[in-house]
Amino acid sequence: MFKAILINKDDQGYHSVLSDVDEQQLPAGDVTVKVVASTINYKDALAITGKAPVVRSFPMVPGIDLVGEVLQSDSKRFSVGDKVLLNGFGVGEGHWGGLAEKARLKSDWLIPLPSAITAEHAMAVGTAGYTAMLCVLALQKHGITPEQGEVLVTGANGGVGSYAVRLLSKMGYQVVAATGRPDESAYLKKLGAVDILPRSQFSEPGKPLQKERWAAVVDCVGSHTLANACASTRYGGAVAACGLAQGMDFPSSVAPFILRGVTLYGIDSVMRPLADRVQAWQQLSDILSPEDFDTISHVISLDQVIESATALLAGKVQGRVIVKMA
């Protein structure tokens, strides 16, 4: 038996509880993992609270991230005792995820845990930091350098935004953070932001073309925020879009792309090829230090997950939440 957060659905709605689960209930997979740590992402919080139809089958163990030790393996890629890491691939939505003491998974979803990162630090990063790294890599491949000017990060107080600010800052970029929580400006400046702008400056409808300011943008918000960010990006700049907290719509025009040569990159982290994952995690382990992980995260236990998920959706959680198993 092991402990897990279980989500069920009935006529009264979604129900999430901390339960004792028999190992025989684990889904099919060729690798069984003792989960050392997981984390709570925005998608996990939606699943746990039932605020959005994230879960595709019931019962479901949420948790799109996990790190752990291989207990049993029928895969040539991994052996018993290997430290492994997982992000995405529909885990926590259609296949039991990481908010449990054990998981059974497909080996094709796993990568080795980088030797320079501890299990807890890997979950301080999680899908949020890994997505932020994918955004930064897209900007670098576009040719954006620190000398070209300011880089805007929207939704900067969230997990992806926090890591985007920190990564870009440590790589020498001038980072401007947009946030709806101006009272937390000190946190963003500690991460390396040189300026803080209010969310309201971007969240309302704006002109198709605005004054050129940003060499590049990491957008975690979508909707009008993304449209305004594109409209104010400088000629030849790039925008990496990875979030939809404000909405899935894109109320913009082709003007920034045709008249200024702006490029919009869509950043998917869920089904990303393994080679991209390994590259992103290696970069994360090279750039970030233990102090970075500790600044951006805090630790809770499995029995605090449901309460923390509610707080996250209410905008009361800063940075990342690590869920450490007993």
Side-chain angles (χ1 to χ4, degrees), residues 17-215:
V17 294
L18 178 61
S19 304
D20 290 314
V21 179
D22 193 314
E23 187 173 328
Q24 293 182 355
Q25 294 178 254
L26 285 169
D30 57 350
V31 176
T32 302
V33 175
K34 176 186 177 182
V35 180
V36 175
S38 184
T39 183
I40 306 175
N41 295 281
Y42 190 76
K43 185 181 288 186
D44 297 320
L46 290 174
I48 291 166
T49 60
K51 297 295 185 182
V54 171
V55 177
R56 299 195 295 270
S57 64
F58 298 89
M60 178 57 58
V61 175
I64 66 175
D65 294 322
L66 66 84
V67 63
E69 180 179 331
V70 174
L71 293 174
Q72 181 179 352
S73 175
D74 296 321
S75 166
K76 294 180 180 179
R77 293 184 61 224
F78 299 104
S79 302
V80 173
D82 285 351
K83 303 297 191 299
V84 293
L85 174 65
L86 180 139
N87 310 107
F89 284 116
V91 171
E93 303 172 65
H95 186 100
W96 282 18
L99 288 169
E101 293 173 336
K102 290 185 181 180
R104 185 170 292 136
L105 307 153
K106 294 183 180 180
S107 57
D108 289 344
W109 299 341
L110 302 170
I111 65 170
L113 176 69
S115 59
I117 300 181
T118 68
E120 283 190 28
H121 287 164
M123 290 298 96
V125 175
T127 288
Y130 151 64
T131 302
M133 191 71 248
L134 291 174
C135 290
V136 174
L137 288 171
L139 300 183
Q140 286 189 309
K141 288 177 182 178
H142 188 82
I144 303 297
T145 63
E147 295 74 27
Q148 290 175 306
E150 296 173 313
V151 178
L152 173 69
V153 176
T154 67
N157 269 104
V160 179
S162 294
Y163 269 105
V165 171
R166 189 59 179 156
L167 287 165
L168 288 163
S169 173
K170 293 199 75 169
M171 296 168 74
Y173 292 87
Q174 297 178 62
V175 185
V176 176
T179 180
R181 294 183 253 172
D183 55 314
E184 297 182 6
S185 295
Y187 165 73
L188 293 171
K189 288 187 176 180
K190 185 176 182 180
L191 294 181
V194 298
D195 195 10
I196 313 295
L197 297 178
R199 176 174 58 194
S200 57
Q201 186 169 321
F202 301 92
S203 59
E204 300 298 325
K207 296 179 180 179
L209 281 178
Q210 299 169 28
K211 183 178 179 180
E212 297 179 62
R213 179 169 180 180
W214 317 115

Side-chain angles (χ1 to χ4, degrees), residues 220-245:
C220 310
V221 180
S223 191
H224 290 292
T225 299
L226 175 58
N228 286 318
C230 290
S232 52
T233 296
R234 293 161 64 176
Y235 189 94
V239 178
C242 63
L244 41 76

Side-chain angles (χ1 to χ4, degrees), residues 120 297-301 304 320-324:
E120 283 190 28
S297 64
H298 66 279
V299 179
I300 66 169
S301 58
Q304 296 173 292
R320 299 283 295 150
V321 180
I322 302 168
V323 182
K324 187 176 180 181

